[in-house]
């Protein structure tokens, strides 16, 4: 267990260092040597976790993927709200998540599958909306696929504007405003009144998530599970 925890910490430190360098220089201009120097790890430690700079970048991109273990809600539209508000909260505080979003928009990173995170978010939202429809929470005209794509794109635009204007300091409020404008067009009126769209909703839900995950305060990504499930870090 100690070796596994060490492996997770080493992988996280590499990703955080890479995130900073990618943010400063862009993907194309960043070298593995710069990531090593910033992370303070050996080349062997980096290549234990990642086969190339591209894999490191994909790990950074993965950091922005939806958390799949948020507390369950009886209302699926509240679950939808919670995912958006938690993402806003993470974007305000987690440099790795911030870098993942920036890398997805980096035109110099054309060799990467920068669309993966957008696809993952759209699929997650579509799944939640499908669950909401099954529970009678959506108005009859709602197309779940179109709505999921619209919400994903709208969030991307809102967070970009918030970043440009105030380094995302007001992102919780802006996402709350976005949802207050969109949800009346898809939600049944009776349910709409019960939804919590408060700007601080993301912080409260994320704290609840952390309290239910005592072994780690970091979201465990697919990459971390893949690299630590059957291996221990012998190089870092």
């Amino acid at each position: 267990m100690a070796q596994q925890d060490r492996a997770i910490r080493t992988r996280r430190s590499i990703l955080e260092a890479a995130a900073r360098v990618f943010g400063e220089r862009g993907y194309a201009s960043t070298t593995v040597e710069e990531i090593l120097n910033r992370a303070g790890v050996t080349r062997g430690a980096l290549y234990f976790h990642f086969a190339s700079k591209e894999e490191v970048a994909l790990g950074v991109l993965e950091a922005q993927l939806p958390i799949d273990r948020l507390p369950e809600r009886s209302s699926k539209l509240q679950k939808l709200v919670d995912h958006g508000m938690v993402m806003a909260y993470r974007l305000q505080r987690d440099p790795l998540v911030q870098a993942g979003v920036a890398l997805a928009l980096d035109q110099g990173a054309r060799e990467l599958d920068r669309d993966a995170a957008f696809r993952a978010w759209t699929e997650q939202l579509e799944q939640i909306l499908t669950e909401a429809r099954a529970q009678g929470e959506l108005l009859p005209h709602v197309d779940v696929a179109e709505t999921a794509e619209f919400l994903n794109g709208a969030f991307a635009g809102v967070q970009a504007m918030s970043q440009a204007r105030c380094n995302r300091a007001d992102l919780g409020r802006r996402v709350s405003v976005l949802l207050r404008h969109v949800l009346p067009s898809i939600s049944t009126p009776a349910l709409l009144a019960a939804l919590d769209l408060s700007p601080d909703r993301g912080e409260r839900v994320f704290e609840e998530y952390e309290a239910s995950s005592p072994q780690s305060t970091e979201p465990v990504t697919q990459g971390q599970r893949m690299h630590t499930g059957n291996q221990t870090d012998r190089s870092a």
Side-chain angles (χ1 to χ4, degrees):
M1 181 62 71
Q3 288 179 315
Q4 186 179 76
D5 288 344
R6 184 184 179 191
I8 292 174
R9 289 194 301 272
T10 300
R11 186 176 190 276
R12 173 79 185 194
S13 69
I14 293 168
L15 289 175
E16 288 178 339
R20 291 192 292 273
V21 180
F22 287 144
E24 294 166 7
R25 297 178 53 77
Y27 175 79
S29 298
T30 295
T31 67
V32 170
E33 196 66 34
E34 288 172 316
I35 296 172
L36 291 174
N37 291 338
R38 189 69 64 93
V41 301
T42 66
R43 189 173 295 271
L46 186 145
Y47 284 118
F48 177 85
H49 293 280
F50 305 99
S52 62
K53 183 181 81 168
E54 180 181 357
E55 279 200 8
V56 177
L58 291 173
V60 174
L61 283 167
E62 190 179 67
Q64 63 176 303
L65 298 184
I67 295 175
D68 60 3
R69 302 190 309 275
L70 287 185
E72 278 297 325
R73 308 296 179 197
S74 57
S75 165
K76 299 307 176 183
L77 282 183
Q78 184 66 65
K79 181 179 177 181
L80 182 92
V81 170
D82 290 354
H83 272 274
M85 297 303 291
V86 165
M87 181 57 173
Y89 180 75
R90 293 171 67 205
L91 264 171
Q92 289 177 310
R93 288 160 176 80
D94 191 335
L96 190 51
V97 178
Q98 294 166 2
V101 170
L103 198 55
L105 301 175
D106 184 350
Q107 295 300 309
R110 298 182 186 275
E111 66 193 74
L112 299 177
D113 182 9
R114 295 180 295 129
D115 187 45
F118 291 105
R119 292 197 307 269
W121 272 104
T122 299
E123 290 168 4
Q124 176 76 282
L125 295 176
E126 188 170 346
Q127 177 184 339
I128 297 171
L129 287 166
T130 299
E131 294 170 354
R133 163 158 287 166
Q135 292 191 177
E137 299 182 15
L138 300 184
L139 295 173
H141 72 274
V142 175
D143 182 309
V144 296
E146 287 184 352
T147 302
E149 285 200 345
F150 171 78
L151 285 169
N152 197 5
F155 183 94
V158 164
Q159 72 82 24
M161 184 168 68
S162 179
Q163 180 189 18
R165 299 194 65 178
C166 59
N167 198 28
R168 299 193 180 98
D170 65 354
L171 186 54
R173 180 187 66 80
R174 288 185 181 275
V175 174
S176 175
V177 170
L178 168 67
L179 292 170
R180 289 204 308 270
H181 281 77
V182 172
L183 288 174
S185 68
I186 68 171
S187 172
T188 57
L191 177 65
L192 184 63
L195 296 177
D196 183 353
L197 307 178
S198 305
D200 67 343
R201 175 74 182 178
E203 179 179 6
R204 289 186 280 115
V205 174
F206 191 74
E207 288 176 352
E208 185 180 353
Y209 158 77
E210 285 188 312
S212 66
S213 306
Q215 292 183 343
S216 172
T217 59
E218 300 293 345
V220 179
T221 67
Q222 180 182 0
Q224 287 173 325
R225 288 192 288 268
M226 179 179 67
H227 282 83
T228 62
N230 299 311
Q231 304 184 70
T232 55
D233 186 352
R234 297 179 297 276
S235 304

